[in-house]
């Protein structure tokens, strides 16, 4: 779900804002937010609700630094085990390495409540900027981002309305391009295998693009399988076995990422299934680790390192120029790599 554009406030929120919103004194607000003093539970809940609604984050360095900012950039990503994000981090760190800014990483595990907690803690130390994965956030997280008073860059995805700047690819477009290629190659019985999509918004958008492109060719998704947790290679094998046994006339499987696609390929090779003749396969992300696989998996390069570089450049430029809002939209173009698991159309 995309968010409507909203004007960001021109100044950071203060205790007075929370005081006015909750109807209690600034001193009481301070006691509640520092978890000090004798305050009734009803008042405590009223203050906490007002602060959360506004997106107010206490300043843990108040009075300690004249600038009220530290040379840290909060980088908030959903996973470090997913091989996508280390490459993004490489782009960020390489861009910052010769300057004063240093990235600090927070991991959310694709959980909106974890994102709220990580964002709250990081913003309380008054970083110079935030780079955060995705465009979908809880109302509380979005409020904190809107009121942070620092440059914000949302990364990986451009299908939606950002808080400030955005750098990424259109995942819907990526799904559409893959769907067109699959149909052009003559496949008609398509399965989609991936992560549980309520929390993986980018996989959901690729799936929507895929079904849209196939629908224009009169093709419907014949089967699907989802997973969460565990080894991607093992899950890829398990899901591929399940879907091919359940729907044996499947002739193409599109996976939400390369690692589960690799597991699917290994299952097919172990069971004498001709790839791409009997069953075609494609993944997503263009993971370099898998380049040695034979046959090479069809995939799409998601421009990960370039996304990290562009996002870091926006933050660095804002800090250099002393501005808190860049409003830049950088949409990169993913590159389809047909590999050897997708028949040439």
């Amino acid at each position: 779900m995309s968010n409507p554009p909203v004007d960001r406030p021109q100044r950071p929120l203060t205790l007075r804002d929370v005081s006015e919103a909750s109807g209690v004194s600034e001193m009481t607000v301070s006691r509640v937010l520092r978890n000090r003093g004798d305050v009734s539970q009803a008042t405590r809940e009223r203050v906490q609700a007002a602060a959360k609604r506004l997106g107010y984050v206490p300043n843990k360095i108040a009075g300690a630094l004249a600038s009220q900012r530290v040379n840290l950039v909060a980088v908030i990503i959903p996973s470090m085990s997913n091989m996508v994000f280390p490459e993004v981090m490489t782009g960020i760190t390489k861009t910052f390495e010769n300057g004063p800014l240093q990235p600090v990483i927070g991991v959310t595990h694709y959980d909106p409540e974890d994102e709220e907690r990580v964002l709250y803690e990081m913003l309380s130390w008054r970083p110079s900027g935030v780079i955060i994965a995705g465009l979908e956030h809880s109302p509380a997280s979005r409020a904190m981002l809107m009121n942070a008073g620092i440059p914000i860059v949302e990364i990986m995805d451009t299908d939606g309305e950002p808080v400030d700047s955005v750098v990424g690819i259109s995942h819907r477009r990526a799904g559409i391009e893959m769907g067109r290629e699959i149909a052009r190659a003559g496949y008609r019985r398509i399965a989609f295998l991936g992560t549980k999509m309520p929390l993986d918004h980018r996989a959901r958008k690729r799936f929507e693009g895929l079904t849209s492109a196939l629908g224009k060719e009169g093709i419907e998704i014949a089967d699907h399988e989802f997973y969460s947790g565990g080894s991607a290679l093992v899950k890829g094998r398990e899901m591929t076995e399940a879907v091919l046994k359940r729907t044996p006339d499947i002739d193409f499987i599109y996976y939400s990422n390369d690692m589960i696609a690799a597991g699917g390929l290994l299952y097919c090779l172990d069971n004498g299934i001709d790839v791409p003749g009997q069953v075609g396969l494609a993944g997503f992300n263009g993971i370099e680790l898998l380049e040695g696989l034979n046959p090479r998996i069809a995939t799409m390069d998601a421009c990960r390192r370039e996304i990290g570089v562009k996002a870091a450049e926006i933050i660095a430029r804002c800090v250099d120029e002393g501005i808190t809002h860049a409003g830049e939209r950088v949409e990169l173009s993913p590159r389809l790599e047909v590999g050897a698991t997708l028949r040439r159309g």
Side-chain angles (χ1 to χ4, degrees):
M1 174 174 84
S2 64
N3 297 293
V6 181
D7 291 335
R8 294 176 70 192
Q10 297 302 306
R11 62 171 179 81
L13 293 170
T14 64
L15 284 178
R16 178 175 295 180
D17 295 307
V18 181
S19 170
E20 292 174 353
S22 60
V24 302
S25 70
E26 290 183 42
M27 184 175 293
T28 300
V29 170
S30 177
R31 286 174 181 163
V32 170
L33 296 180
R34 289 185 295 119
N35 200 26
R36 305 275 179 82
D38 185 17
V39 181
S40 73
Q41 186 61 28
T43 299
R44 186 175 300 277
E45 290 175 358
R46 189 160 75 248
V47 170
Q48 290 170 339
K52 185 173 184 178
R53 185 175 67 254
L54 292 173
Y56 175 78
V57 179
N59 184 351
K60 287 185 177 178
I61 65 166
L65 295 173
S67 68
Q68 294 294 287
R69 293 284 169 213
V70 294
N71 286 335
L72 300 177
V73 176
V75 181
I76 302 174
I77 57 178
S79 171
M80 281 299 289
S81 59
N82 184 328
M83 298 191 69
V84 169
F85 293 102
E87 288 200 48
V88 176
M89 288 305 307
T90 297
I92 293 171
T93 54
K94 281 289 185 183
T95 304
F96 285 151
E97 68 181 359
N98 294 320
L101 298 176
Q102 292 292 327
V104 179
I105 304 172
V107 180
T108 69
H109 310 290
Y110 292 95
D111 187 320
E113 290 186 1
D114 278 358
E115 183 178 90
E116 284 182 24
R117 177 182 54 78
V118 170
L119 186 58
Y120 184 90
E121 287 300 321
M122 286 190 158
L123 287 177
S124 71
W125 290 102
R126 294 307 188 261
S128 293
V130 173
I131 297 173
I132 185 168
L135 291 164
E136 286 78 15
H137 313 287
S138 71
S141 289
R142 188 169 174 82
M144 283 188 278
L145 291 169
M146 293 290 297
N147 290 285
I150 54 178
I152 309 293
V153 183
E154 290 159 286
I155 60 171
M156 312 307 292
D157 184 8
T158 60
D159 295 314
E161 191 63 40
V163 168
D164 179 1
S165 297
V166 61
V167 179
I169 67 168
S170 167
H171 287 264
R172 285 198 180 93
R173 192 174 109 199
I176 288 170
E177 289 184 15
M178 185 62 78
R180 288 172 177 167
E181 193 67 26
I182 292 169
R184 189 179 300 120
Y187 297 105
R188 289 297 179 269
R189 297 287 290 166
I190 320 298
F192 180 86
L193 276 59
T195 53
K196 290 186 177 179
M197 291 183 293
L199 295 179
D200 191 342
H201 298 287
R202 292 175 289 284
R204 170 180 56 80
K205 291 170 184 178
R206 291 196 298 278
F207 181 66
E208 290 170 355
L210 175 78
T211 55
S212 171
L214 294 177
K216 291 182 179 179
E217 301 295 329
I219 303 170
E220 294 185 1
I221 296 293
D223 204 346
H224 60 264
E225 188 86 8
F226 302 119
Y227 82 101
S228 60
S231 165
L233 282 173
V234 172
K235 293 295 184 180
R237 294 182 73 111
E238 292 174 350
M239 290 192 297
T240 302
E241 179 179 16
V243 78
L244 289 178
K245 287 184 175 178
R246 186 169 61 235
T247 314
D249 64 342
I250 290 293
D251 64 5
F252 196 91
I253 304 175
Y254 180 42
Y255 299 84
S256 66
N257 64 64
D258 285 345
M259 294 305 292
I260 55 173
L265 174 61
L266 293 175
Y267 173 82
C268 290
L269 295 177
D270 286 349
N271 288 274
I273 297 171
D274 176 27
V275 178
Q278 184 180 345
V279 178
L281 308 174
F284 182 82
N285 278 324
I287 297 294
E288 292 180 8
L289 177 68
L290 301 179
E291 288 183 1
L293 273 182
N294 185 22
R296 188 171 177 180
I297 297 171
T299 187
M300 193 167 277
D301 175 12
C303 312
R304 298 177 300 282
R305 186 175 300 212
E306 192 176 357
I307 286 172
V309 169
K310 296 292 186 184
E313 286 176 347
I314 291 172
I315 296 291
R317 186 163 59 253
C318 286
V319 172
D320 285 345
E321 297 176 3
I323 59 176
T324 62
H325 180 82
E328 293 191 32
R329 178 180 287 269
V330 180
E331 182 170 323
L332 304 172
S333 297
R335 296 172 289 275
L336 178 65
E337 300 171 5
V338 174
T341 62
L342 172 60
R343 290 195 303 254
R344 301 279 176 168

